[in-house]
Amino acid sequence: QYYFENGLRKVYPYYFGWNTTAKERWFSRTLYDIYSTEFARAIRHQPLLELIESGKIRVNGQIKSKDYVVKNGDRISHVKHRHEIPVLDDPIQIIHEDADYLVLNKPCSLPMHPCGKYRYNTLSSILTKEMGFNNLRSE
């Protein structure tokens, strides 16, 4: 998933999907209306109508029209092509490790956990996938 270039750790672009159950405030509103108001920032780089018609936004696993009226219990999913921001390729230094604690020197550009535009280029993902640490909790 990663590659290294000019001192940066980069993640190959990937598809990311999320699911949500319809909120009560969405009932009786159209799919287009919900996305154009509630998710305007998340979809600003691609035309909303294209996302709905291409099936990147689905309701209950099915392609619906922009005029579909959302109902109680509907499961809405959205697939997005993501490009994570690179981070510095500085080493993660283990300062101390025992049965109770793992003390690290974390590189400054590396987020702690998945958030915002980061999913894989994070300290927790690297510790789990590359270094074999599981069930870590931060303090």
Side-chain angles (χ1 to χ4, degrees):
Q1 296 180 355
Y2 300 102
Y3 65 100
F4 302 91
E5 184 177 75
N6 300 323
L8 297 174
R9 170 187 283 269
K10 297 182 175 185
V11 176
Y12 288 105
Y14 58 93
Y15 285 96
F16 175 74
W18 60 264
N19 298 299
T20 187
T21 303
K23 313 294 182 242
E24 188 173 350
R25 70 178 181 271
W26 299 350
F27 299 171
S28 302
R29 291 174 59 195
T30 66
L31 191 59
Y32 189 89
D33 178 45
I34 293 165
Y35 264 83
S36 63
T37 57
E38 305 261 348
F39 301 103
R41 286 189 65 206
I43 60 167
R44 68 180 178 266
H45 300 297
Q46 202 168 5
L48 175 55
L49 193 54
E50 181 182 313
L51 291 172
I52 294 170
E53 290 175 346
S54 68
K56 290 183 179 160
I57 296 173
R58 293 178 180 235
V59 179
N60 302 322
Q62 300 173 346
I63 297 174
K64 300 289 186 182
S65 76
K66 70 179 186 74
D67 297 320
Y68 175 80
V69 176
V70 173
K71 299 170 194 62
N72 186 10
D74 278 348
R75 186 98 171 134
I76 301 171
S77 58
H78 181 182
V79 175
K80 186 173 184 177
H81 194 246
R82 298 197 53 180
H83 298 257
E84 285 194 27
I85 299 169
V87 297
L88 294 175
D89 181 26
D90 292 339
I92 298 170
Q93 299 172 343
I94 297 176
I95 296 170
H96 175 79
E97 177 184 357
D98 62 29
D100 297 316
Y101 292 99
L102 176 65
V103 180
L104 306 168
N105 183 8
K106 180 186 85 61
C108 65
S109 68
L110 193 61
M112 279 291 294
H113 51 80
C115 59
K117 294 183 179 184
Y118 295 95
R119 182 152 187 88
Y120 298 110
N121 246 347
T122 67
L123 181 64
S124 63
S125 294
I126 293 167
L127 288 173
T128 301
K129 293 179 182 185
E130 294 183 24
M131 302 175 80
F133 291 101
N134 294 307
N135 299 318
L136 295 174
R137 307 287 183 265
S138 61
E139 288 188 16

